[in-house]
Short mmCIF file of all heavy atoms in Angstrom, two decimals:
data_model
loop_
_atom_site.label_atom_id
_atom_site.label_comp_id
_atom_site.label_asym_id
_atom_site.label_seq_id
_atom_site.Cartn_x
_atom_site.Cartn_y
_atom_site.Cartn_z
N ALA H 50 22.22 37.81 28.90
CA ALA H 50 21.78 37.26 30.18
C ALA H 50 21.67 35.78 29.96
O ALA H 50 21.37 35.33 28.84
CB ALA H 50 20.55 37.88 30.66
N LYS H 51 21.81 35.09 31.11
CA LYS H 51 21.64 33.62 31.07
C LYS H 51 20.37 33.17 31.58
O LYS H 51 19.90 32.05 31.34
CB LYS H 51 22.84 32.95 31.88
CG LYS H 51 24.18 33.28 31.31
CD LYS H 51 25.29 32.72 32.27
CE LYS H 51 26.65 33.04 31.78
NZ LYS H 51 27.67 32.62 32.70
N ASP H 52 19.65 34.06 32.46
CA ASP H 52 18.42 33.63 33.10
C ASP H 52 17.53 34.82 33.11
O ASP H 52 17.82 35.86 33.62
CB ASP H 52 18.87 33.20 34.51
CG ASP H 52 17.83 32.42 35.27
OD1 ASP H 52 16.79 32.98 35.61
OD2 ASP H 52 17.97 31.16 35.29
N TYR H 53 16.27 34.54 32.79
CA TYR H 53 15.27 35.56 32.74
C TYR H 53 14.05 35.06 33.50
O TYR H 53 13.62 33.88 33.33
CB TYR H 53 14.74 35.84 31.30
CG TYR H 53 15.79 36.24 30.33
CD1 TYR H 53 16.61 35.27 29.65
CD2 TYR H 53 16.05 37.64 30.03
CE1 TYR H 53 17.60 35.68 28.77
CE2 TYR H 53 17.04 38.03 29.14
CZ TYR H 53 17.82 37.05 28.49
OH TYR H 53 18.80 37.41 27.66
N THR H 54 13.52 35.95 34.39
CA THR H 54 12.34 35.51 35.14
C THR H 54 11.24 36.59 34.85
O THR H 54 11.43 37.72 35.12
CB THR H 54 12.58 35.51 36.70
OG1 THR H 54 13.60 34.55 37.00
CG2 THR H 54 11.40 35.19 37.50
N LEU H 55 10.17 36.14 34.32
CA LEU H 55 9.03 36.90 33.94
C LEU H 55 7.85 36.61 34.75
O LEU H 55 7.63 35.36 35.24
CB LEU H 55 8.69 36.72 32.44
CG LEU H 55 9.39 37.42 31.41
CD1 LEU H 55 10.89 37.03 31.35
CD2 LEU H 55 8.83 37.13 30.03
N VAL H 56 6.98 37.56 35.12
CA VAL H 56 5.85 37.40 35.99
C VAL H 56 4.66 38.11 35.36
O VAL H 56 4.70 39.37 35.08
CB VAL H 56 6.12 37.87 37.40
CG1 VAL H 56 4.77 37.75 38.24
CG2 VAL H 56 7.25 37.16 38.07
N GLY H 57 3.58 37.37 35.23
CA GLY H 57 2.25 38.00 34.83
C GLY H 57 1.13 37.22 35.38
O GLY H 57 1.37 36.23 36.13
N LEU H 58 -0.09 37.62 35.09
CA LEU H 58 -1.21 36.83 35.54
C LEU H 58 -1.72 35.87 34.59
O LEU H 58 -2.54 34.99 34.95
CB LEU H 58 -2.40 37.89 35.95
CG LEU H 58 -2.19 38.67 37.22
CD1 LEU H 58 -3.47 39.52 37.47
CD2 LEU H 58 -2.12 37.69 38.40
N GLU H 59 -1.45 35.98 33.35
CA GLU H 59 -1.92 35.07 32.31
C GLU H 59 -1.53 33.65 32.55
O GLU H 59 -0.42 33.41 32.91
CB GLU H 59 -1.59 35.53 30.91
CG GLU H 59 -2.23 36.87 30.50
CD GLU H 59 -1.58 38.06 31.23
OE1 GLU H 59 -0.42 37.97 31.66
OE2 GLU H 59 -2.31 39.11 31.41
N PRO H 60 -2.39 32.62 32.24
CA PRO H 60 -2.07 31.28 32.49
C PRO H 60 -0.96 30.88 31.43
O PRO H 60 -0.80 31.47 30.37
CB PRO H 60 -3.35 30.53 32.24
CG PRO H 60 -4.14 31.48 31.27
CD PRO H 60 -3.73 32.86 31.79
N VAL H 61 -0.25 29.68 31.74
CA VAL H 61 0.80 29.24 30.84
C VAL H 61 0.24 28.78 29.56
O VAL H 61 0.80 29.14 28.51
CB VAL H 61 1.54 28.15 31.52
CG1 VAL H 61 2.51 27.44 30.59
CG2 VAL H 61 2.29 28.62 32.75
N GLY H 62 -0.83 28.06 29.53
CA GLY H 62 -1.42 27.57 28.26
C GLY H 62 -0.72 26.37 27.71
O GLY H 62 -0.01 25.63 28.47
N CYS H 63 -0.76 26.21 26.43
CA CYS H 63 -0.22 24.94 25.77
C CYS H 63 0.07 25.22 24.39
O CYS H 63 -0.49 26.15 23.75
CB CYS H 63 -1.25 23.84 26.00
SG CYS H 63 -2.84 24.16 25.27
N VAL H 64 0.66 24.26 23.77
CA VAL H 64 0.75 24.11 22.26
C VAL H 64 0.35 22.65 21.94
O VAL H 64 0.70 21.75 22.70
CB VAL H 64 2.16 24.47 21.69
CG1 VAL H 64 2.42 25.91 22.00
CG2 VAL H 64 3.21 23.58 22.26
N PRO H 65 -0.21 22.43 20.85
CA PRO H 65 -0.73 21.16 20.46
C PRO H 65 0.51 20.14 20.17
O PRO H 65 1.49 20.55 19.61
CB PRO H 65 -1.54 21.32 19.20
CG PRO H 65 -1.96 22.73 19.18
CD PRO H 65 -0.81 23.47 19.84
N SER H 66 0.34 18.90 20.60
CA SER H 66 1.33 17.86 20.31
C SER H 66 0.89 17.02 19.15
O SER H 66 1.75 16.33 18.59
CB SER H 66 1.64 17.03 21.52
OG SER H 66 0.41 16.41 21.91
N ASN H 67 -0.35 17.11 18.83
CA ASN H 67 -0.94 16.27 17.73
C ASN H 67 -1.13 17.14 16.46
O ASN H 67 -1.70 18.26 16.61
CB ASN H 67 -2.27 15.69 18.19
CG ASN H 67 -2.81 14.72 17.23
OD1 ASN H 67 -2.61 14.85 16.03
ND2 ASN H 67 -3.58 13.76 17.68
N THR H 68 -0.54 16.78 15.36
CA THR H 68 -0.63 17.61 14.15
C THR H 68 -2.12 17.90 13.80
O THR H 68 -2.32 19.03 13.31
CB THR H 68 0.03 16.87 12.96
OG1 THR H 68 1.41 16.53 13.34
CG2 THR H 68 -0.01 17.70 11.73
N ALA H 69 -3.00 17.05 14.08
CA ALA H 69 -4.43 17.28 13.69
C ALA H 69 -4.96 18.46 14.45
O ALA H 69 -5.95 19.12 13.95
CB ALA H 69 -5.24 16.01 14.05
N ASN H 70 -4.42 18.84 15.62
CA ASN H 70 -4.93 19.92 16.42
C ASN H 70 -4.55 21.31 15.79
O ASN H 70 -5.02 22.28 16.19
CB ASN H 70 -4.45 19.81 17.81
CG ASN H 70 -5.11 18.68 18.59
OD1 ASN H 70 -6.22 18.26 18.24
ND2 ASN H 70 -4.37 18.09 19.55
N TYR H 71 -3.59 21.35 14.89
CA TYR H 71 -3.27 22.56 14.17
C TYR H 71 -4.23 22.71 12.99
O TYR H 71 -3.87 22.66 11.87
CB TYR H 71 -1.79 22.54 13.73
CG TYR H 71 -0.75 22.54 14.72
CD1 TYR H 71 -0.08 21.48 15.05
CD2 TYR H 71 -0.48 23.77 15.42
CE1 TYR H 71 0.95 21.47 16.12
CE2 TYR H 71 0.46 23.87 16.43
CZ TYR H 71 1.22 22.67 16.77
OH TYR H 71 2.17 22.73 17.75
N SER H 72 -5.43 22.98 13.34
CA SER H 72 -6.49 23.21 12.34
C SER H 72 -6.21 24.47 11.63
O SER H 72 -5.53 25.38 12.12
CB SER H 72 -7.81 23.07 13.02
OG SER H 72 -7.98 24.27 13.85
N PRO H 73 -6.86 24.70 10.49
CA PRO H 73 -6.82 25.99 9.85
C PRO H 73 -7.28 27.15 10.70
O PRO H 73 -6.76 28.24 10.55
CB PRO H 73 -7.71 25.82 8.62
CG PRO H 73 -7.66 24.32 8.24
CD PRO H 73 -7.58 23.69 9.65
N GLU H 74 -8.13 26.85 11.67
CA GLU H 74 -8.62 27.92 12.64
C GLU H 74 -7.57 28.25 13.65
O GLU H 74 -7.74 29.31 14.31
CB GLU H 74 -9.97 27.54 13.23
CG GLU H 74 -11.08 27.42 12.22
CD GLU H 74 -11.03 26.12 11.33
OE1 GLU H 74 -10.46 25.16 11.81
OE2 GLU H 74 -11.56 26.17 10.26
N TYR H 75 -6.65 27.38 13.90
CA TYR H 75 -5.72 27.58 14.96
C TYR H 75 -4.86 28.80 14.71
O TYR H 75 -4.53 29.62 15.58
CB TYR H 75 -4.77 26.28 15.10
CG TYR H 75 -3.76 26.48 16.18
CD1 TYR H 75 -4.02 26.18 17.49
CD2 TYR H 75 -2.48 27.03 15.90
CE1 TYR H 75 -3.10 26.31 18.58
CE2 TYR H 75 -1.51 27.03 16.93
CZ TYR H 75 -1.81 26.80 18.25
OH TYR H 75 -0.81 26.93 19.23
N TRP H 76 -4.43 29.05 13.44
CA TRP H 76 -3.49 30.04 13.14
C TRP H 76 -4.08 31.48 13.25
O TRP H 76 -3.39 32.38 13.89
CB TRP H 76 -2.91 29.83 11.71
CG TRP H 76 -2.22 28.45 11.64
CD1 TRP H 76 -2.72 27.45 10.96
CD2 TRP H 76 -1.15 28.08 12.39
NE1 TRP H 76 -1.93 26.36 11.18
CE2 TRP H 76 -0.95 26.68 12.01
CE3 TRP H 76 -0.24 28.65 13.21
CZ2 TRP H 76 0.13 25.99 12.55
CZ3 TRP H 76 0.77 27.98 13.77
CH2 TRP H 76 1.01 26.60 13.44
N PRO H 77 -5.30 31.72 12.83
CA PRO H 77 -5.85 33.07 13.19
C PRO H 77 -5.98 33.30 14.67
O PRO H 77 -5.77 34.38 15.13
CB PRO H 77 -7.23 33.03 12.53
CG PRO H 77 -7.11 32.04 11.39
CD PRO H 77 -6.17 31.00 11.96
#
């Protein structure tokens, strides 16, 4: 398929853009 549309209630959220925000606690 070329196009997928998913629907849920959970928020989109984010990923860090700053390396410092990938703390050791981020991965667990």
Side-chain angles (χ1 to χ4, degrees):
K51 300 174 183 177
D52 197 286
Y53 303 84
T54 299
L55 279 60
V56 176
L58 282 182
E59 292 74 26
V61 171
C63 60
V64 297
S66 57
N67 189 329
T68 302
N70 291 333
Y71 290 107
S72 66
E74 293 74 28
Y75 179 85
W76 303 111

